[in-house]
């Protein structure tokens, strides 16, 4: 085997080991991003139903205080 082929196979082996070690981390990161997106969508849906992000009616006359 010549040096160029040997070097290429060594590089390929290192890349394979790196990918093997990094794959669980990358899968976990993708899963975290998916969960973050789902939580953000759920918060937006709740805020849209309640009027504000805190869940408090946007105007006092809408849910508490004196009756109009």
């Amino acid at each position: 085997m010549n040096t160029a082929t040997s070097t290429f196979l060594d590089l390929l082996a290192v890349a394979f080991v790196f990918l093997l070690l990094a794959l669980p981390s990358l899968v976990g990161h993708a899963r975290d991003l998916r969960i973050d997106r789902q939580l953000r969508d759920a918060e937006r849906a709740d805020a849209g139903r309640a009027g504000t992000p805190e869940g408090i009616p946007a105007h006092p006359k809408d849910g508490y205080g004196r009756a109009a």
Side-chain angles (χ1 to χ4, degrees):
M1 233 191 246
N2 63 19
T3 306
T5 305
S6 178
T7 303
F8 176 72
L9 290 177
D10 290 344
L11 182 64
L12 194 60
V14 169
F16 176 74
V17 170
F18 177 76
L19 182 62
L20 195 63
L21 291 174
L23 190 60
S25 177
L26 295 173
V27 169
H29 182 67
R31 182 176 178 260
D32 285 345
L33 290 176
R34 181 179 49 90
I35 290 171
D36 288 344
R37 187 182 68 241
Q38 290 174 343
L39 288 172
R40 193 170 44 248
D41 291 344
E43 286 176 356
R44 287 182 185 153
D46 286 345
R49 278 187 244 118
T52 63
E54 294 84 21
I56 301 171
H59 302 287
K61 64 182 179 180
D62 289 343
Y64 59 92
R66 291 186 309 170

